[in-house]
Amino acid sequence: MKQQLLNISGLRQRLQRNYLGIEITDFCIKLVEIEPQLVGLPIVKNCIIEPLADGTISNGIIADSGSIVRSLKHLLSNHKLKSRLVHFVIPTQLVLIRFLKLPDIAEQDLRKMIQFEIEHNLQLPFENPRHDFVKLNGDLKKSKRSDILQKEVSLNKLFKQKKSTGRSPVSVLPSEGSENSHQAAMCDVMLAAAPSERIIEFVEVLEAAGLQLLSFEIKPLSLYRLMTVAYPASKEQSILIADIGKNYMELVILHRGVLKISRNIPLRFPTNQGLFYKDEDNSIDDLCAELADEMDRLIKFYLYTLDHRDHQVTNVYLCGDINGLYDISEYLNNQMPQEVSIMMNPDFESQYLDFDSEYPTFAVPLGLALRGKEA
């Protein structure tokens, strides 16, 4: 499939069908259904959360596929969904992301260069990975943006198997890439990889539930798409997006509408109750301080280690399904120099009565669904 990952034109061609965005975490299934319109933002037809039984998924790895299939079928049978066409986000814990600086060349040549880097320089912490890349800037006429971890990947797009290095795929710092800044034509590339066997498990679950999988994607791109489509003013700023879950946080920095860096971070309060589970050893302030520290660390890494001192991050946008997001926002506003706010519904129409109040919870599956017919 040759598709443009982030093309938001041609809405007329997308009107035949509704589209679904699905995110499956260790705790629940989140689904958004959209109906594209000729002009403006699509209508959000459904927003659904289906809890999962404890232990169904652990750290992004499926432990009970039958339970997930039953939950998906229950969800589909109890809601009036017009579509079975799905864009699916791979669990954060399974994905390794690297940011590289490479020559601004044609996609075919760039793919060969990345393949060489993977085989000889970039050691992966899992065997038989599935991978793809996105060219984030440079001369886009030289490349066609490809589907991150697409469902139909030919064998020549798979990495050769490499034995584990013993490093965890969970907490991955982006790489600055080459220092050859004196070269005239360089571009930023985001490379993503995940273990094939885990991808196949999710494919089988979704298809067993009667869904037609259009694409896989990674969370940073879903959040990026949502911001660029629904918040055009963000294209003039340097911003940080924080998607905070019950056991993981995804941080993404955008500069003038370009995805610059992302990082996924395991949180140290992995309970079903999430952040505001009170016990004798952890106060709410201590837990919020951890979030603030992680955000500040990534911002400083981006500004100073990666030498983007003129890209001052002015705003932080929060989303996710963690409990107490409004309290987190208030705390971070008092502790961070940036303006911190919860991601709010810009102008989506929805038949879901609680859509405005629960908008931050559905940010990722909404960004997925906005992909439309692009597979």
Side-chain angles (χ1 to χ4, degrees):
M1 296 181 184
K2 295 291 185 180
Q3 309 290 342
Q4 283 195 337
L5 184 67
L6 299 174
N7 181 18
I8 61 172
S9 64
L11 278 176
R12 290 180 183 273
Q13 299 177 1
R14 306 187 192 182
L15 296 181
Q16 297 91 340
R17 298 172 178 172
N18 292 4
Y19 297 95
L20 307 178
I22 293 181
E23 177 185 11
I24 301 180
T25 73
D26 287 2
F27 307 101
C28 68
I29 300 169
K30 292 187 282 186
L31 180 150
V32 169
E33 180 184 26
I34 65 166
E35 180 183 274
Q37 303 296 298
L38 281 172
V39 178
L41 296 173
I43 294 175
V44 178
K45 305 294 288 187
N46 280 288
C47 293
I48 307 164
I49 294 182
E50 182 77 15
L52 293 174
D54 291 347
T56 300
I57 298 180
S58 179
N59 216 25
I61 298 174
I62 296 175
D64 186 352
S65 59
S67 179
I68 302 175
V69 172
R70 289 190 295 273
S71 294
L72 283 168
K73 287 183 175 180
H74 178 266
L75 180 154
L76 295 172
S77 65
N78 282 274
H79 298 273
K80 297 179 180 179
L81 301 177
K82 293 183 179 181
S83 178
R84 294 295 185 270
L85 304 176
V86 174
H87 297 288
F88 179 75
V89 67
I90 302 171
T92 290
Q93 303 96 309
L94 302 181
V95 180
L96 181 148
I97 298 176
R98 285 286 188 265
F99 288 80
L100 308 171
K101 190 170 287 294
L102 297 171
D104 187 9
I105 55 180
E107 179 186 322
Q108 183 177 1
D109 296 327
L110 193 59
R111 187 175 294 279
K112 292 178 182 178
M113 179 175 291
I114 290 172
Q115 186 73 32
F116 180 87
E117 287 293 315
I118 291 166
E119 294 178 3
H120 298 281
N121 297 321
L122 297 176
Q123 299 297 314
L124 297 177
F126 41 76
E127 295 184 351
N128 192 26
R130 185 168 294 190
H131 80 284
D132 210 333
F133 68 93
V134 171
K135 189 175 181 181
L136 299 174
N137 55 19
D139 186 355
L140 298 181
K141 293 181 181 179
K142 294 181 180 179
S143 69
K144 294 181 179 179
R145 293 181 178 184
S146 52
D147 178 15
I148 284 293
L149 304 174
Q150 57 189 345
K151 177 188 173 187
E152 298 180 8
V153 178
S154 59
L155 292 177
N156 66 349
K157 291 184 181 178
L158 297 178
F159 290 161
K160 291 183 179 179
Q161 290 188 359
K162 284 183 175 289
K163 295 184 178 180
S164 172
T165 62
R167 295 176 297 177
S168 169
V170 171
S171 182
V172 181
L173 275 174
S175 170
E176 184 178 4
S178 171
E179 293 291 343
N180 297 327
S181 58
H182 297 295
Q183 296 186 20
M186 303 293 286
C187 67
D188 295 316
V189 173
M190 180 170 64
L191 172 69
S196 288
E197 63 271 21
R198 302 305 178 197
I199 300 297
I200 292 171
E201 289 171 357
F202 279 104
V203 170
E204 292 173 345
V205 162
L206 294 169
E207 292 183 344
L211 295 165
Q212 181 180 341
L213 184 60
L214 295 180
S215 73
F216 282 105
E217 193 164 272
I218 57 176
K219 189 175 288 188
L221 285 176
S222 301
L223 295 169
Y224 168 76
R225 184 181 299 103
L226 179 61
M227 291 301 296
T228 54
V229 171
Y231 304 87
S234 68
K235 296 180 182 180
E236 303 302 319
Q237 303 172 309
S238 295
I239 64 173
L240 171 70
I241 307 169
D243 180 80
I244 309 173
K246 294 180 179 178
N247 57 354
Y248 268 82
M249 175 169 64
E250 189 86 30
L251 300 179
V252 180
I253 291 180
L254 307 182
H255 173 67
R256 293 188 177 275
V258 177
L259 198 161
K260 303 299 291 187
I261 190 172
S262 71
R263 187 184 178 195
N264 58 72
I265 301 162
L267 299 176
R268 290 178 288 183
F269 38 88
T271 70
N272 289 339
Q273 292 86 352
L275 177 63
F276 289 90
Y277 172 71
K278 298 181 181 180
D279 59 38
E280 296 178 356
D281 298 323
N282 293 290
S283 69
I284 291 174
D285 286 351
D286 288 341
L287 297 174
C288 285
E290 179 186 354
L291 300 179
D293 183 62
E294 293 291 355
M295 293 178 194
D296 183 65
R297 182 179 292 115
L298 182 65
I299 290 172
K300 288 180 177 176
F301 178 81
Y302 174 71
L303 292 177
Y304 305 116
T305 305
L306 300 186
D307 195 20
H308 295 300
R309 288 172 171 80
D310 57 338
H311 296 184
Q312 289 299 320
V313 176
T314 57
N315 294 79
V316 175
Y317 294 95
L318 306 181
C319 59
D321 58 10
I322 195 166
N323 300 328
L325 196 61
Y326 287 87
D327 294 311
I328 296 173
S329 177
E330 182 178 355
Y331 178 93
L332 295 178
N333 253 321
N334 292 330
Q335 297 295 319
M336 299 181 68
Q338 293 81 14
E339 180 180 347
V340 181
S341 58
I342 293 176
M343 198 178 290
M344 305 299 289
N345 178 17
D347 201 20
F348 285 101
E349 294 183 23
S350 178
Q351 299 174 346
Y352 180 56
L353 295 178
D354 297 323
F355 180 66
D356 286 347
S357 62
E358 296 190 14
Y359 181 86
T361 299
F362 293 103
V364 170
L366 178 56
L368 279 168
L370 288 173
R371 184 165 178 159
K373 77 169 189 176
E374 297 166 10

